Amino acid sequence: MSRVKRYQNPELYERLAAEYVLGTLQGAARKRFERLINERPYIRYAVDIWEGRLNTLSEVLPEEKPGAHVWNNIRQQIAHQSPREKPLWERLGFWQLATGLLSVLLVTAILLPRQTGLMPTPNFVAVLESSEDKPMIVTTGMRDLGMLDVRLLEMPKAKNQQWVLWAIPKEGMEPIQVGTLRQDSMQTRLHLTEAKWKQIHGVEMFAVSFEPNGGKAVQQQPTGPMMYKGKCLDFI
Amino acid sequence: MSDKDPYAELLRLCAQGDEKAFASLYQQTTGKLFAVSLRIMQTRQSAEEVLQEGYIKIWEKAGTFDSGKARAMTWMTTIIRNRALDVLRSYKSRPVEVEAQFEGMDFAAAESGPDKLTGISLETRQVLECLNELKEKQRQSVLMAYYYGQTHEEISRQLEAPLGTVKAWVRRGVERLRKCLE
């Protein structure tokens, strides 16, 4: 039976949906199934049903108390996000429009001088957006100069934290630390070693997290969620 | 029987940017959701990280919650569990504490008695009753996977049973559970 037909078999996708929710569907099979959830509404529906069945089981767990810092971190992070209910003009797609304009500007700024030889060739660009799809940072890699140019479109409000740039090879994989952004300027130029360039070659996306300050070295892995994320567009 | 959904209204307020409602939601649900995260992650630090990321997602996605489709606690549990499973599967190996801290699953026993089931929703009672109808090993395997995020291989080691047998227990377990709940 072809793979397409296999997944139309209700008995099979019902079972896979159950094992997906349970967590026993793993590795490549799990990734494949995740794609199918997004592509096929009947599989999404089967997963919804199993989530509704199994995830009620949290109700019977004896409660556990997390540290107070968890709520403090959450509160601090949501404070940087605007209210959920957006004004009409914004809901009508202001940021889609802004992103579109930004793309045009980027193409003009990057590709045009590139053709005329006025500027070093950029190898990739990534527009990092907030969880509300608002463009916040533009990252441009210029390997010839060994430099990663990071421009803030808006100054983050997280003043007492370090803003750390990460490269994510693929969704779900461990991020690679790239560098810390300046807070006294809208632009940071990170000079990367050859080894670091090799490490970040072909990554899927870039992201920024807010890390604890206070003179502490940044951890090898982010301590909190990625606040801004953007897919990397390779030019070469 | 507890049929009303106490957190649905708080989620609706969160969707409007009401931070007080979010604080209240956190205060009321964090005990259960941290328990979910802690059982899967096994270390407090990683469980707290998952919890933190999960609640931020709950805040961000509150507008997508549909009270007609799921109970609020179920929806939030899905977010926390999915994040925990993603993080867990990204580890090369599991923290060593997992077996030492495996403390059984008596809390999921349907025969806990009516006094212990006070405040438990009708849906959860039904699932517990159906779980009770599974064969012992099927039930145990399903619950180990659910509560501890354990893989077939880990369950196989812990129950000292062949991998193929464990896969069959899980497969038949969910099949019987489906028939019972339909």
Side-chain angles (χ1 to χ4, degrees):
Chain A
M1 197 187 292
S2 74
R3 186 173 282 171
V4 173
K5 284 202 170 162
R6 275 183 68 208
Y7 289 121
Q8 286 171 352
N9 173 356
E11 219 165 272
L12 177 74
Y13 71 70
E14 269 271 354
R15 181 172 66 77
L16 291 175
E19 294 223 26
Y20 170 78
V21 175
L22 204 55
T24 45
L25 188 66
Q26 291 169 64
R30 189 174 185 85
K31 295 273 170 219
R32 197 160 52 238
F33 196 71
E34 274 169 353
R35 278 199 300 276
L36 288 169
I37 294 172
N38 294 324
E39 288 167 8
R40 303 185 192 188
Y42 60 91
I43 293 184
R44 169 79 264 171
Y45 181 71
V47 168
D48 285 347
I49 297 275
W50 275 104
E51 282 174 349
R53 285 169 178 157
L54 293 175
N55 287 338
T56 60
L57 290 171
S58 60
E59 276 189 46
V60 293
L61 281 174
E63 297 198 359
E64 303 276 354
K65 199 176 172 196
H69 64 279
V70 176
W71 173 244
N72 291 337
N73 290 346
I74 293 170
R75 202 178 45 183
Q76 204 174 12
Q77 284 178 20
I78 67 161
H80 305 302
Q81 298 175 11
S82 33
R84 308 288 87 201
E85 209 166 62
K86 299 171 186 171
L88 184 65
W89 57 270
E90 200 173 323
R91 273 188 278 146
L92 281 175
F94 174 81
W95 285 114
Q96 282 93 324
L97 183 69
T99 312
L101 282 173
L102 188 70
S103 307
V104 172
L105 285 172
L106 277 172
V107 170
T108 315
I110 293 166
L111 293 182
L112 219 60
R114 191 179 163 199
Q115 284 171 356
T116 53
L118 294 175
M119 170 178 176
T121 311
N123 300 83
F124 59 81
V125 66
V127 180
L128 278 60
E129 296 177 330
S130 69
S131 57
E132 294 165 345
D133 303 326
K134 188 174 177 184
M136 298 295 288
I137 294 173
V138 179
T139 304
T140 313
M142 284 167 281
R143 191 165 180 171
D144 293 348
L145 299 179
M147 190 181 78
L148 196 65
D149 181 87
V150 187
R151 300 200 187 200
L152 303 178
L153 301 175
E154 192 177 307
M155 194 58 97
K157 294 188 187 90
K159 288 291 175 203
N160 297 317
Q161 289 166 296
Q162 301 183 69
W163 311 336
V164 181
L165 182 71
W166 307 85
I168 303 174
K170 268 197 175 155
E171 188 92 64
M173 285 177 73
E174 285 190 349
I176 301 159
Q177 196 190 119
V178 181
T180 303
L181 308 188
R182 290 173 62 170
Q183 303 202 356
D184 58 349
S185 165
M186 298 295 275
Q187 183 180 18
T188 303
R189 287 181 166 172
L190 296 168
H191 294 274
L192 307 186
T193 62
E194 192 57 29
K196 187 62 89 178
W197 279 110
K198 280 187 184 152
Q199 218 184 346
I200 67 168
H201 177 73
V203 294
E204 194 173 281
M205 56 169 67
F206 281 86
V208 164
S209 71
F210 297 159
E211 299 298 325
N213 221 339
K216 277 189 196 164
V218 175
Q219 301 293 309
Q220 282 308 302
Q221 287 298 306
T223 57
M226 297 300 185
M227 301 307 289
Y228 311 127
K229 276 189 202 172
K231 291 235 178 205
C232 186
L233 177 64
D234 281 316
F235 289 124
I236 294 173
Chain B
M1 191 193 314
S2 166
D3 277 327
K4 79 176 179 18
D5 190 348
Y7 311 124
E9 175 61 11
L10 288 174
L11 272 177
R12 194 187 64 76
L13 293 170
C14 288
Q16 295 174 2
D18 186 334
E19 292 183 20
K20 277 188 185 162
F22 185 53
S24 173
L25 183 71
Y26 179 86
Q27 201 179 19
Q28 293 179 57
T29 57
T30 190
K32 295 285 186 200
L33 293 182
F34 186 51
V36 170
S37 176
L38 190 57
R39 272 181 178 71
I40 295 176
M41 302 309 298
Q42 291 290 316
T43 65
R44 285 191 72 84
Q45 191 190 345
S46 54
E48 285 177 344
E49 282 168 15
V50 163
L51 191 74
Q52 186 175 319
E53 291 174 22
Y55 268 100
I56 288 169
K57 198 161 184 187
I58 288 168
W59 168 255
E60 289 172 347
K61 304 277 178 194
T64 67
F65 168 68
D66 179 352
S67 59
K69 272 174 71 181
R71 291 177 69 82
M73 195 62 183
T74 306
W75 183 78
M76 291 190 289
T77 302
T78 300
I79 289 177
I80 299 288
R81 267 195 93 242
N82 285 351
R83 182 64 200 147
L85 288 175
D86 282 350
V87 173
L88 192 66
R89 301 294 184 246
S90 71
Y91 290 163
K92 285 191 180 71
S93 62
R94 214 164 180 209
V96 287
E97 299 93 319
V98 68
E99 296 195 5
Q101 291 187 19
F102 185 83
E103 89 288 39
M105 290 162 305
D106 288 347
F107 47 80
E111 63 273 21
S112 297
D115 52 325
K116 286 193 181 168
L117 292 178
T118 307
I120 301 295
S121 68
L122 175 66
E123 288 91 336
T124 308
R125 285 176 190 224
Q126 283 170 340
V127 176
L128 291 175
E129 279 164 16
C130 285
L131 276 167
N132 233 23
E133 288 186 14
L134 306 188
K135 289 183 177 166
E136 177 53 27
K137 293 292 184 194
Q138 291 174 355
R139 179 177 180 278
Q140 206 174 353
S141 306
V142 166
L143 289 179
M144 284 166 82
Y146 180 77
Y147 282 117
Y148 293 88
Q150 288 187 303
T151 61
H152 289 128
E153 290 78 5
E154 287 165 337
I155 298 169
S156 156
R157 277 198 298 277
Q158 200 146 342
L159 297 183
E160 295 176 345
L163 184 59
T165 307
V166 168
K167 286 185 177 178
W169 285 339
V170 173
R171 192 171 61 242
R172 288 178 196 142
V174 294
E175 181 54 26
R176 287 184 75 151
L177 195 56
R178 181 178 68 80
K179 283 183 181 156
C180 176
L181 288 167
E182 272 178 0

